[in-house]
Each structure stands twice: as structure tokens, then as C-alpha cells.
Amino acid sequence: MTITTVNPATEKEIKTYNIMSEAEATERLEACHTAFLEWRKLSHRDRAPYLERIAQTLRANADELAALMTTETGKLLKDGYIEVEICAAILDYTAQYGPELLADEERTHGADEKRGIVSYQPIGVIYSIQPWNFPLYQPVRVLAANLMAGNGCMLKHASICTGSGLRLRELCIEAGLPEALFQVIIINHDTSDTLIAHPKVRGITLTGSDEAGRHIAAVAAKALKKTVLELGSNDAYLVLQDADIETAVKYSVMGRLYNNGETCISAKRFIVTDKIYDAFVDAFVAQMKTIQLGDPTDENSQLGPLSSQEQFDTVKAQVDASVAKGARILCGGEPTDRTGAYYPATVLSELAPGMPAYDDEIFGPVASVIRASSDEDAMRLANESRYGLGGGIFCKDEMHALMLARDYFDTGMVRINSFGVADPNMPFGGVKNSGYGREHGGFGMKEFINVKSIFLP
């Protein structure tokens, strides 16, 4: 069996790859475990230079990597360069702070306060299942944390960006990483489930849909394996009564269209208080209408194609179903007849529960605008979602926004008067159907380790 990658902008085939047998995948796992047994002997400080060299190698190959990601997934070329730099920054951060964060901690035990030590020890091979929307960033954030922790890593990447995953491994080896320590496997779902149950897989991390998360978590639970899940989202950005309209529109457009709208942490629902609803919507729609859809390699393009024809069909079906149930299209919503999986910047209003654009995640450049009667009502509507990854608040009173973000917003991350995706120094993850566990900010390094208590006499 084989898989073939396809350029979503041109619909031309890129490359065909053979799917590995269960025996081949298991052989890779055994090799990774053997490499881990040597890697774990290094101190955290001795591991750090490997991460630094990988960061340097990624930066040195930024042109190639950005072009490859654009070819495989349709992301804007300029966004590919940003992704390479984010990956390098994560590796540098992990190399710099990992040794301190994972250092042994002195404790005491017993009434006479005898000496105790808490040691953060690696556990083995971590199985990383990653999506296509950030072909480099998704695997790197797992790889960096676990290499520093002392673990090995097996990557099952999304099939449409197979080339990016394989090239990442080549560059890691070029940077000096032991060849067997990071494996990229091309396998089907049945083989994947078999690997999860294998004794030498000690933890599983997935970024994907909540449906995929339920399946992986169930398979892992049967084998008593720990999981970290970063799943779907339907992030709400609140535009409160005293919001600055210009700021809100600027970051709302950016937040909805970044990475062609195919971002888990992007702004998807815009919950706008009645007092400024018309002013915001008019300005927001006006900006969305100006977005230039085009070739992702063209520096003038502001929006590229979706990642595949399948993804195009999914987004179109969600919009069409919402409109059939009463949603109103304020702009976009009607793809042109052209080669490639191009979907225009779209804004929907008159939304209600039961519509895909209200209830579900639309992984594309489609904004859902929802009217709220007050600031309190906006917060209530935001938290009604089954998801809880990120969100945002536009409000001139930053202390009020901070209070809402800290005490009431039922998500893992909140942006105030801004938009962003990930920062190496801040934890990344969600609650509810958006999953559990954290990456970045030092937290990811401690997800798959043995927190070992040592009692001295």
C-alpha cells in the first residue's frame, strides 16, 4: 500500500510513499528504544547542545523547509518561514531552560527532616501523532521537550505532509542527533493502535480532532499509557462594549485567517455585544472582503488554499449546512471555479445552536459572528462551547479583561487585545473537549517523565 502527497494549490501529485508493515514499524520502535537507553545516560546539560544544533540546522534550511510545507499543505510561504523560526525558538528555549527545570530538587522527609530528592527521570519512547496544519511545529514541540527529558520519539505524521516529517528527521540527524532516537513512521491506523499497546511505547501525545482524541485515549487507557491530547477548538473572541473597534477588527481578521484559517488556536467565533455589534460587523466584513486569495508562494497573497480537496469539501459542507439552517453569509461563502482547494474569506451571522458554524470547529477561513446582549451574556455564550482551548477579549479596561480571563473564561489560554498562536515561554493546552496536558513553558518537559522520590537516611 502507498500514499501520495498532493499540492493543494495546483492539484499536482508530489511524491508517493510506501506504508510500512507492522513488523517494520516495530523494528523502528525497537531501535528507538535501544537509542533511548544510551541517550538517557546523558545529563540534561549534555543534551542541550543537540537541541541548539537542530535549531541552527532548521534556520539554515529555512528556504527549503518553508517551500516544502507550502507545497504539501498550501500554507503561505511567509507563514512557513515564521513556522521554522518558531521551531528554532522552541528548541533554543528548551536547551536554555531545560537543565534547570529538570534538575534534581532537594526536599526533606520525616519528623526529623531527613534528606530527600525529587528526580525527573525519562521513561522511554514517546509516540507522537501529529496533524498537517503545522508540519514542522507540531512534531518539533513534542520532540524538543522529550529529547531534553531524555526520551526517544516516534512520529506518525499526517499523510499529506509526509515529506516534511521525513525531512525533519534527516535534518536532526545532520545536526548530530543519534540516528535511531527520532523515528518517522508511515503506517495505517491499525498498526498505530498496535504500537500504542506495545510495552516499549511509554506515552502517547496527539494533536487532532476530539473524535481522534477519544479513540487514542481509549486505546492507550486499555494499555495503561499516559496521554497528552491537544484537540479541537471553537475559540471565542469577545468584543465587549468598550472595545476599540479598530484594534478588534485588526486582530480578528488576523486571528481568523492566520495559516489559511487552519489553526486550532485561531479565532473562530466572534461574540459581539449589542451596543457595538453593527459597528464591529461592518468594519470586520469590510476588511474580510479585501483579502486577496491566491498562490501561496506569491508574497501579495493574503490567503492560500486549504490543505486538500477533502478539507475544502468539509468546510464547504459546514457552511452550506449552516446556511440551510438559517445562517446569513455577509461575505465570501461562494468558492470560484478554479484549480486548487481555494476557499474565500467568509463571515457568517444569524447563527444559532444546531448549526455547524455555531457548534463545531470550522478549520478554514470562516468567521462566525454571534450577537450578545451584554458583556455578561458574551462570556456565557463563549463558555457554552464543548471546547476550551483558547479565546480572546477585546476591551479597553485591561483589568476588567484580566479578571474575566482569569476567573471566568473556561479555556486554557486567553489573549487580551491581541492575537497569537504559541510562545515557548507560556503553557499551551486546553480543557473540556479540547483535551488535557500542557506543552511549552517548561510544562511539556514534565509530561512524560518519572517524578521519582528518593529518601535518604
Side-chain angles (χ1 to χ4, degrees), residues 234 269 314-315 317-325 327 348 351-362 368 386-387:
N234 197 7
R269 292 179 295 150
T314 298
V315 170
Q318 288 177 299
V319 172
D320 291 348
S322 298
V323 172
K325 292 186 176 185
L348 301 178
L351 299 166
M355 299 178 184
Y358 188 97
D359 297 335
D360 304 326
E361 177 177 37
I362 297 185
S368 298
R386 69 182 186 271
Y387 296 113

Side-chain angles (χ1 to χ4, degrees), residues 101 425-428 438-448:
L101 290 167
N425 197 41
M426 295 291 284
F428 187 104
R438 291 295 181 269
E439 296 172 293
H440 300 325
F443 295 88
M445 291 181 239
K446 293 184 177 180
E447 286 287 357
F448 294 108

Side-chain angles (χ1 to χ4, degrees), residues 249-304:
V249 168
K250 173 186 174 181
Y251 288 113
S252 293
V253 172
M254 183 187 303
R256 180 60 289 210
L257 300 184
Y258 179 69
N259 203 49
N260 299 335
E262 298 170 311
T263 307
C264 56
I265 194 69
S266 67
K268 297 182 175 82
R269 292 179 295 150
F270 300 88
I271 303 177
V272 189
T273 50
D274 189 66
K275 182 179 179 181
I276 60 169
Y277 181 88
D278 291 338
F280 171 81
V281 170
D282 287 348
F284 182 48
V285 171
Q287 283 293 309
M288 291 285 274
K289 285 181 176 178
T290 68
I291 297 302
Q292 186 168 331
L293 180 67
D295 182 347
T297 65
D298 185 340
E299 63 181 14
N300 294 315
S301 295
Q302 297 169 289
L303 183 64

Side-chain angles (χ1 to χ4, degrees), residues 79-259:
D79 287 346
Y81 280 103
I82 292 172
E83 184 169 342
V84 174
E85 181 52 38
I86 289 174
C87 291
I90 290 168
L91 287 156
D92 284 341
Y93 174 92
T94 308
Q96 180 178 355
Y97 295 102
E100 179 182 351
L101 290 167
L102 295 172
D104 288 353
E105 296 179 13
E106 293 282 340
R107 299 280 179 105
T108 59
H109 67 92
D112 50 357
E113 296 191 345
K114 295 177 181 177
R115 187 183 178 204
I117 295 173
V118 176
S119 184
Y120 298 106
Q121 293 297 314
I123 57 174
V125 177
I126 306 306
Y127 182 32
S128 174
I129 306 170
Q130 298 302 326
W132 43 259
N133 57 329
F134 290 97
L136 202 65
Y137 162 74
Q138 294 289 165
V140 163
R141 71 182 187 185
V142 173
L143 182 64
N146 283 287
L147 288 180
M148 176 52 68
N151 295 320
C153 190
M154 294 265 290
L155 168 66
K156 178 187 182 297
H157 217 334
S159 60
I160 70 173
C161 57
T162 298
S164 295
L166 292 171
R167 186 61 181 138
L168 171 61
R169 179 173 182 266
E170 290 174 352
L171 291 174
C172 286
I173 295 170
E174 184 180 311
L177 192 70
E179 185 170 347
L181 190 63
F182 173 39
Q183 300 282 354
V184 177
I185 51 176
I186 306 169
I187 57 176
N188 61 29
H189 294 305
D190 290 341
T191 301
S192 179
D193 287 353
T194 300
L195 282 183
I196 290 172
H198 194 288
K200 286 189 170 65
V201 168
R202 295 293 300 274
I204 303 95
T205 179
L206 163 80
T207 297
S209 67
D210 39 333
E211 180 181 359
R214 286 188 183 91
H215 175 80
I216 296 299
V219 175
K222 289 180 181 178
L224 294 178
K225 305 289 179 71
K226 180 180 179 180
T227 54
V228 168
L229 304 178
E230 195 266 281
L231 308 177
S233 76
N234 197 7
D235 288 4
Y237 272 59
L238 280 57
V239 186
L240 302 184
Q241 292 183 27
D242 74 335
D244 179 83
I245 300 296
E246 184 177 349
T247 298
V249 168
K250 173 186 174 181
Y251 288 113
S252 293
V253 172
M254 183 187 303
R256 180 60 289 210
L257 300 184
Y258 179 69
N259 203 49

